[in-house]
Amino acid sequence: MPYLLNSGSGPLAGWPLALAHRGGEPGPENTELALRRAVELGFRYIEIDLRTTADGVLVLFHDAVLDRATGSTGTISSMTWDELAQVTVRGSDGTECSLLRFEDALQLFPDTHFNVDLKEDAAVEPFCAAVERFGAHDRVLAASFDHARRRRTRRLMGPRTASSADRRLAWLLVLLGPFGRAARLFRGVREIDCVQVPARHRRLRVVRPAFVRRCHRAGLQVHVWTVNDPEEMTRLLDMGVDGLVTDNVEALADVMRTRGHWPQSAAGAPSP
């Protein structure tokens, strides 16, 4: 899969991937400022969330409502892009930045790969149209916790665009794997390229060595979210996971650097 640069023969071949969650903290999440900082730090992969405005524009935003991340109120779906263009997102460091359209993110960061969480059904068609318009099939992975939404995206995009398992498929792999059914289950699901799961779910440790081995036998990469502790990052990388998603971008960059896997973006590479 071209999206997964660690699976090919290029400079990231065999490397675990580092993914900045919403661009990483402490800046304003899902904004140009956050994305630019992550790229300059050395990240090639950024996790983003997409929602749709009242006039059909895709914007990077996690919540359905504006309140938590901005000083404004209201829902994304009830406002036009012209209205939302006046809204600013606030980071924990006090910085502010305007909302960002998906098409602008694709153009501003042409070498960046986006792990796209489609937060609502209305985002599916505009997302597929944007990927087609910009020829970005190799730079996006379509993700959604919702099974029907992920399948619909896959039907529209076809096999050129990477996809991760939705919540239902991921839990089937976790729960059925110990009984020897996981490989048979996923052998027929050729539309899945990776499994993205938390390291733990409540008291259950999801990512164990046996789980990683089962996924690899089924031809699936394992990406773990959202890992912010350096010791946990190291433990999971030693286990053989293929990617880590983090808010703590500085810490993950340091951990990857000590293992010789940094930087991963051309923009973050040191000058000769």
Side-chain angles (χ1 to χ4, degrees):
M1 170 54 63
Y3 170 84
L4 297 169
L5 297 174
N6 58 345
S7 64
S9 57
L12 302 189
W15 286 21
L17 301 177
L19 295 91
H21 187 232
R22 306 180 198 171
E25 294 183 345
E29 64 184 45
N30 276 318
T31 64
E32 179 184 348
L33 189 62
L35 271 58
R36 192 168 301 283
R37 175 174 178 264
V39 169
E40 291 174 353
L41 189 60
F43 282 82
R44 184 71 169 269
Y45 287 79
I46 300 179
E47 188 271 350
I48 61 174
D49 308 282
L50 292 186
R51 291 193 177 273
T52 315
T53 67
D55 51 345
V57 177
L58 279 181
V59 296
L60 278 64
F61 206 78
H62 180 272
D63 302 352
V65 297
L66 293 168
D67 303 53
R68 177 187 62 84
T70 76
S72 303
T73 60
T75 61
I76 297 288
S77 61
S78 68
M79 302 175 70
T80 66
W81 168 246
D82 285 344
E83 293 171 321
L84 288 167
Q86 311 306 312
V87 173
T88 56
V89 184
R90 297 182 297 195
S92 60
D93 59 356
T95 57
E96 295 186 354
C97 190
S98 301
L99 273 70
L100 181 65
R101 296 182 299 181
F102 179 54
E103 62 181 54
D104 292 332
L106 290 175
Q107 294 180 85
L108 288 168
F109 303 95
D111 296 320
T112 297
H113 288 214
F114 293 103
N115 193 110
V116 181
D117 188 352
L118 299 166
K119 305 301 290 186
E120 57 193 11
D121 291 344
V124 172
E125 277 79 7
F127 166 75
C128 296
V131 172
E132 290 284 356
R133 187 163 64 254
F134 291 97
H137 299 85
D138 294 353
R139 295 202 291 126
V140 298
L141 179 144
S144 176
F145 287 129
D146 184 84
H147 179 72
R149 189 180 306 149
R150 183 196 60 76
R151 292 296 306 275
R152 187 157 132 252
T153 306
R154 174 69 181 191
R155 286 196 298 270
L156 290 171
M157 297 303 298
R160 289 187 297 166
T161 302
S163 176
S164 64
D166 53 73
R167 181 184 284 111
R168 188 174 85 177
L169 287 173
W171 278 112
L172 283 173
L173 182 58
V174 171
L175 298 175
L176 297 183
F179 301 99
R181 301 178 185 177
R184 290 194 295 273
L185 172 67
F186 278 90
R187 192 176 296 127
V189 187
R190 299 184 184 277
E191 62 200 55
I192 301 300
D193 302 290
C194 64
V195 177
Q196 298 182 333
V197 292
R200 299 177 183 81
H201 180 70
R202 298 177 182 172
R203 295 185 178 181
L204 174 66
R205 186 182 289 276
V206 175
V207 182
R208 298 173 177 269
F211 173 81
V212 175
R213 289 195 297 270
R214 286 195 301 270
C215 290
H216 287 172
R217 284 198 297 269
L220 301 171
Q221 289 199 10
V222 178
H223 300 171
V224 188
W225 52 264
T226 302
V227 187
N228 295 327
D229 178 65
E231 291 186 4
E232 181 79 345
M233 294 173 184
T234 299
R235 185 186 71 81
L236 290 165
L237 291 171
D238 288 344
M239 197 182 298
V241 303
D242 306 282
L244 294 177
V245 184
T246 189
D247 296 311
N248 193 352
V249 288
E250 296 277 1
L252 183 53
D254 286 343
V255 168
M256 290 291 189
R257 188 176 293 109
T258 63
R259 304 172 78 94
H261 297 147
W262 204 255
Q264 298 191 355
S265 75
S271 300

